[in-house]
Amino acid sequence: MNFELIPIKLIDESTILTRDAHDNIEELAKNISEIGLLQPITVKKLQNGNYRIILGARRYKAVKLLKKTHIPANISNTEDETEIYLQQLAENMERENFSPIEEAKLFYKLTTDPVFHKSELYISQKIGKNERYIKRKLELLKFGKDVQEIIHAEKEILPNKLNEEQALSLKKVDIIFKDKLALKAASEQVSVNDLKRAAQVYTSKELDDESKFTLLALPFHDIVETWSILEEKKIEKQRFADKPRLANATTLPSHKEDHVVLPTVFTEIEVLLKSLISSIPSHRSIHLTTIYSYENIPIDRKQDFLKLIDGLVTNLQAHLIEWRKIKDIVKTPIRLVDTSKQK
């Protein structure tokens, strides 16, 4: 490779491999300003005279942030697109906190893009990882966009986030439950062990889909409790199967119909309340700047806006009145009498 100073303005940013190449750029820029750029970037010259970055996207961003006009670069002559891509991939994998989703997308491109179309075995040999490592990353892309956005590289369990182990605990769960379960786990900061238990519940044939949807409206510990019941049921089955049968027995041991019961048989009013609570977001004070944005509402829409507020307030007040009445009834139980039967 030939080393030379190339103009910053000739680098084509659209060729940078990952979207998060700007992470912690300020800190890197500070280091470069103090001790200089220790390692040149690697680029390939394009037919239009511009340059494509192969290695060193973050270094390039940091130097640009320092308002430098030129940057030291090694000029690569390689024409092998796969080799270039693998070099970029390897560099990104060395970064701290490299997003598991970004890594998964790079693997996915290598396996599906007609330019590369490489096998997982080929990639594993090139990057020094086993095939299982690549397969696990690709599993993350089976989650929806909302879940992918909260998957992070840390090992800790963080609020409203999922680490890789948490997410992969749900990989065998059907798609109709997987994302809802993942988002619920993130909001409740569920452990990996409890997520594995939840996965067993949602892959179990002992529960129908309606029961599984019901569980989604309940706290996560109810899902874990259901797992405990399923495990007890399994042990009971095995114990019955292993029990020796007496040759002279005149009666067969009786057992109940084999079905799973949810942790608690919820009444209609309980299910209604839990459903209502889950559909209403937690209250957060509205910032004054948001409130006063009403000034930008066109005059012809302002009346409609006020009608919407009236409708919301009326609806909430109706809920309050009704549920306060229910609360009073529950606190002081009374029995309704059918007056039609009275003479």
Side-chain angles (χ1 to χ4, degrees):
M1 291 187 188
N2 301 316
F3 165 80
E4 61 181 77
L5 284 172
I6 62 172
I8 289 280
K9 64 181 181 181
L10 293 183
I11 291 178
D12 185 353
E13 290 192 6
S14 68
T15 62
I16 294 176
L17 187 62
T18 57
R19 292 178 296 171
D20 56 354
H22 58 280
D23 288 351
N24 299 319
I25 294 302
E26 291 80 4
E27 185 179 344
L28 180 58
K30 182 181 177 183
N31 290 339
I32 292 174
S33 69
E34 292 173 354
I35 62 177
L37 184 63
L38 300 180
Q39 183 180 5
I41 65 172
T42 300
V43 299
K44 178 183 176 183
K45 194 161 188 176
L46 303 174
Q47 290 183 350
N48 61 6
N50 290 340
Y51 293 91
R52 167 189 175 184
I53 294 181
I54 297 177
L55 301 174
R58 293 181 69 251
R59 280 169 276 157
Y60 156 73
K61 291 272 189 179
V63 170
K64 186 179 178 182
L65 188 63
L66 294 171
K67 301 192 182 301
K68 302 287 186 182
T69 58
H70 290 72
I71 186 170
N74 292 314
I75 313 298
S76 172
N77 295 319
T78 182
E79 297 295 332
D80 187 338
E81 285 297 320
T82 301
E83 189 60 36
I84 291 172
Y85 195 89
L86 285 169
Q87 288 180 43
Q88 293 174 321
L89 174 59
E91 182 186 47
N92 278 291
M93 288 175 64
E94 290 175 1
R95 287 170 40 207
E96 291 183 10
N97 300 327
F98 181 41
S99 162
I101 293 297
E102 287 296 326
E103 186 175 3
K105 287 178 179 177
L106 299 183
F107 288 146
Y108 182 78
K109 185 173 181 178
L110 270 174
T111 57
T112 60
D113 193 313
V115 174
F116 310 113
H117 204 65
K118 300 299 181 183
S119 68
E120 292 165 8
L121 175 61
Y122 174 88
I123 300 168
S124 69
Q125 292 171 340
K126 286 291 185 178
I127 66 173
K129 301 282 187 181
N130 57 40
E131 285 184 83
R132 181 173 177 271
Y133 178 90
I134 296 167
K135 289 180 186 295
R136 281 169 60 85
K137 297 293 181 184
L138 292 174
E139 281 288 341
L140 298 175
L141 298 182
K142 294 180 181 179
F143 286 97
K145 184 179 178 182
D146 289 344
V147 178
Q148 289 185 26
E149 287 178 351
I150 63 172
I151 296 176
H152 64 100
E154 302 294 337
K155 291 186 178 180
E156 304 93 79
I157 294 177
L158 303 175
N160 297 312
K161 296 284 185 181
L162 285 177
N163 64 35
E164 195 172 329
E165 286 301 313
Q166 285 176 295
L168 288 173
S169 299
L170 302 175
K171 67 180 182 179
K172 293 183 180 179
V173 175
D174 192 284
I175 190 67
I176 63 172
F177 302 114
K178 183 186 288 187
D179 281 18
K180 292 182 177 67
L181 202 55
L183 293 171
K184 183 178 180 66
S187 67
E188 298 185 36
Q189 293 181 254
V190 178
S191 70
V192 171
N193 284 339
D194 279 350
L195 273 165
K196 288 179 179 178
R197 291 171 181 135
Q200 290 181 43
V201 170
Y202 277 85
T203 53
S204 171
K205 294 180 180 178
E206 302 287 338
L207 285 176
D208 58 22
D209 285 355
E210 185 179 353
S211 298
K212 291 174 182 178
F213 276 116
T214 300
L215 283 171
L216 284 173
L218 306 179
F220 212 94
H221 65 76
D222 282 328
I223 299 175
V224 177
E225 188 178 344
T226 303
W227 171 83
S228 297
I229 291 175
L230 288 171
E231 287 299 297
E232 289 173 9
K233 203 83 172 150
K234 193 186 299 181
I235 293 169
E236 187 180 326
K237 270 187 182 180
Q238 190 61 47
R239 190 181 296 132
F240 177 75
D242 294 342
K243 189 175 180 180
R245 294 174 181 263
L246 298 176
N248 297 325
T250 56
T251 59
L252 292 174
S254 63
H255 57 91
K256 295 179 181 179
E257 183 183 353
D258 186 24
H259 67 281
V260 175
V261 181
L262 289 176
T264 308
V265 178
F266 290 99
T267 61
E268 289 182 27
I269 194 67
E270 287 174 293
V271 172
L272 179 61
L273 177 60
K274 289 174 183 292
S275 176
L276 183 63
I277 290 172
S278 66
S279 64
I280 299 175
S282 300
H283 177 262
R284 292 182 182 177
S285 297
I286 302 174
H287 197 277
L288 281 175
T289 54
T290 302
I291 295 174
Y292 280 97
S293 68
Y294 82 87
E295 295 175 342
N296 297 321
I297 300 175
I299 295 175
D300 60 336
R301 290 213 316 262
K302 199 160 286 187
Q303 284 304 314
D304 290 337
F305 178 69
L306 290 172
K307 286 179 182 178
L308 286 173
I309 293 178
D310 287 338
L312 174 64
V313 171
T314 301
N315 190 30
L316 291 175
Q317 286 175 337
H319 276 299
L320 283 172
I321 292 169
E322 188 169 41
W323 284 102
R324 280 174 179 157
K325 188 185 297 180
I326 293 170
K327 180 182 176 183
D328 290 337
I329 292 171
V330 173
K331 288 175 71 176
T332 311
I334 59 173
R335 291 187 179 276
L336 298 177
V337 178
D338 188 354
T339 55
S340 64
K341 294 182 180 179
Q342 294 178 347
K343 294 182 179 180

